[in-house]
Amino acid sequence: KVGCEFDRIVVCGGDGMFHEAVNGWFRSRSMAPLAYIPSGTVNDFANTHNIPKNDVETAAKIASDGMIDLIDAGLFNDTYFSYVAAFGFATSTAYDTPQTKKRKLGTLAYVLHALEIVDFTHWENNCVSTQIEYEGGMIEGNFLYGQISSSRYVGGMDAFTKGRYDLKDGLLEGVFIRQPMNLSELNSIIASIAKSDIENNPLIVPVQSPWFEFDGESIAWTLDGEYGGEVPHAKIQVVEQQLKVVLPKEEE
């Protein structure tokens, strides 16, 4: 049981590094909480939990003297994730974008790399066909993008989660974007995302559920910004208030 003899386990790196630490932590059954000093490009986990990403000294102080808390995590088949599982349009840019671009351009590097690999002339080439079951319902069809998260920020933005996320409610937030059939539909999707108005667009399906199950064609997944494998079947479920982390102390 690696780490069990320590009071705290401190991780320094990006979201991908923290993802690896979370999986090691769950499998070791360590009782020591995970602390995080962010030094990656996007740092969604740190942004969600107000851990400063440009102030190593303050982040280190939080790691050593912060508040210990239990928050929700996710389980993708047999792999844990700290905040998001995603598929579809441009999700591979999180792990395909060269490190040199990330260091020079930050979040913009992901956008530029996405534009380089997407086939804008045939949207169907960027979509996957799947059936999605969740508590109380089911949807199916061709989807441009999908994410299941327990986080405020995903990819540096909160357009899909604003006003919906709760890190301790035992629910995951799902958002699924259907394949646009023409430029007008694509523009309506972009406009809804820009305005954080995903509830009123029939092409965007927001769902909250403790579990999701996917069946259909083989889908390549991204877990916390890392390649999560390509599988035809995936079961994703919440791991309710079992991830022990060190967070900034609440202001009195």
Side-chain angles (χ1 to χ4, degrees):
K1 294 185 177 181
V2 178
C4 291
E5 64 271 29
F6 298 103
D7 294 327
R8 295 189 179 190
I9 301 170
V10 181
V11 183
C12 183
D15 290 315
M17 178 67 76
F18 193 68
H19 169 80
E20 297 298 331
V22 166
N23 276 272
W25 184 86
F26 271 114
R27 289 183 169 84
S28 72
R29 299 184 180 179
S30 173
M31 296 303 294
L34 279 174
Y36 183 39
I37 300 175
S39 61
T41 306
V42 179
N43 299 300
D44 285 323
F45 186 89
N47 290 337
T48 292
H49 296 281
N50 298 314
I51 301 172
K53 63 180 181 179
N54 297 315
D55 187 344
V56 174
E57 184 176 347
T58 300
K61 287 180 180 178
I62 293 170
S64 64
D65 191 39
M67 173 186 68
I68 297 175
D69 204 0
L70 291 168
I71 62 173
D72 292 348
L75 183 63
F76 174 90
N77 289 341
D78 58 356
T79 302
Y80 294 92
F81 58 91
S82 64
Y83 74 99
V84 69
F87 69 87
F89 169 70
T91 51
S92 68
T93 59
Y95 52 84
D96 277 346
T97 305
Q99 285 293 333
T100 52
K101 279 189 178 180
K102 291 181 183 180
R103 285 192 290 269
K104 289 181 179 179
L105 302 174
T107 306
L108 178 60
Y110 293 106
V111 178
L112 294 177
H113 192 66
L115 294 175
E116 291 172 1
I117 65 173
V118 170
D119 181 2
F120 287 101
T121 59
H122 297 91
W123 279 103
E124 65 274 12
N125 294 344
N126 304 303
C127 294
V128 298
S129 178
T130 189
Q131 174 183 287
I132 308 168
E133 291 188 60
Y134 50 88
E135 187 175 67
M138 184 269 288
I139 57 174
E140 59 184 338
N142 296 324
F143 295 90
L144 181 66
Y145 175 81
Q147 74 174 47
I148 299 91
S149 64
S150 179
S151 179
R152 176 176 180 178
Y153 294 101
V154 176
M157 68 177 191
D158 62 356
F160 293 146
T161 57
K162 187 179 294 184
R164 300 176 64 238
Y165 78 100
D166 186 323
L167 304 174
K168 296 184 178 184
D169 63 355
L171 295 174
L172 297 170
E173 283 69 55
V175 176
F176 309 105
I177 301 177
R178 293 189 181 277
Q179 175 183 338
M181 301 306 294
N182 50 55
L183 187 58
S184 176
E185 290 188 348
L186 173 61
N187 286 335
S188 78
I189 291 171
I190 294 171
S192 294
I193 295 172
K195 295 184 295 184
S196 297
D197 182 24
I198 63 172
E199 305 283 345
N200 298 308
N201 190 320
L203 295 173
I204 304 177
V205 184
V207 177
Q208 287 183 303
S209 173
W211 59 269
F212 295 84
E213 198 153 357
F214 295 78
D215 276 299
E217 68 179 60
S218 193
I219 299 175
W221 287 85
T222 299
L223 306 178
D224 296 335
E226 295 291 293
Y227 180 60
E230 186 170 339
V231 294
H233 174 83
K235 183 166 185 179
I236 301 173
Q237 53 196 315
V238 70
V239 184
E240 186 175 0
Q241 293 189 45
Q242 291 187 39
L243 180 57
K244 186 184 290 187
V245 291
V246 181
L247 302 176
K249 292 180 179 178
E250 296 179 352
E251 295 182 4
E252 297 180 359

